Amino acid sequence: QLVESGGGSVQAGGSLRLSCAVSRRYTGSFGCMAWFRQASGERREGVASIRLDGGTSYTDSVKGRFTISKDKVKNTVDLQMNSLKPEDTAMYYCAAATTCARLTLTDITWGQGTQVTVS
């Protein structure tokens, strides 16, 4: 249902754009889309979320650097990541949920993940 792309390796200060393609048969099934990340040995944490009404939330460490958006034509949810830091290195997961309150989601469907490495 969810397929991520756009991960890779980049130097500190660089940019990457992640994209999450949502199967059209599930379009409208989800009230909230989000990006999470999990660094090696760490817990999975919410990075950014976007609701059906377009409202967005971000974790403090990425505010001003990351932007989450929806592309209705491509049926994707994208995460533009600028000014990347080594601490942004993690596996990034797309998530779709019934509802969300900031970065707390319910009834989550996960993508398979895409690796982001910042050196």
Side-chain angles (χ1 to χ4, degrees):
Q1 303 180 27
L2 306 175
V3 179
E4 300 100 329
S5 61
S9 297
V10 65
Q11 291 187 337
S15 298
L16 283 174
R17 187 177 184 88
L18 306 183
S19 186
C20 175
V22 183
S23 298
R24 291 202 176 273
R25 63 181 293 187
Y26 297 104
T27 300
S29 300
F30 304 120
C32 176
M33 299 292 297
W35 285 93
F36 280 66
R37 66 185 179 187
Q38 187 169 18
S40 180
E42 302 290 330
R43 293 172 52 188
R44 191 172 297 189
E45 66 166 350
V47 176
S49 67
I50 185 166
R51 301 189 306 269
L52 275 179
D53 64 3
T56 59
S57 296
Y58 297 90
T59 192
D60 287 345
S61 63
V62 307
K63 285 180 180 177
R65 301 189 297 123
F66 291 12
T67 303
I68 189 170
S69 61
K70 292 187 288 188
D71 187 320
K72 294 181 180 180
V73 175
K74 296 180 180 179
N75 215 40
T76 62
V77 176
D78 301 330
L79 185 68
Q80 178 65 42
M81 306 185 294
N82 299 327
S83 302
L84 283 161
K85 304 175 181 180
E87 51 263 45
D88 294 317
T89 295
M91 184 70 78
Y92 282 71
Y93 297 89
C94 179
T98 303
T99 63
C100 64
R102 296 184 60 80
L103 294 172
T104 300
L105 278 58
T106 58
D107 301 324
I108 304 172
T109 298
W110 295 101
Q112 82 286 354
T114 184
Q115 179 68 37
V116 171
T117 302
V118 185
S119 60

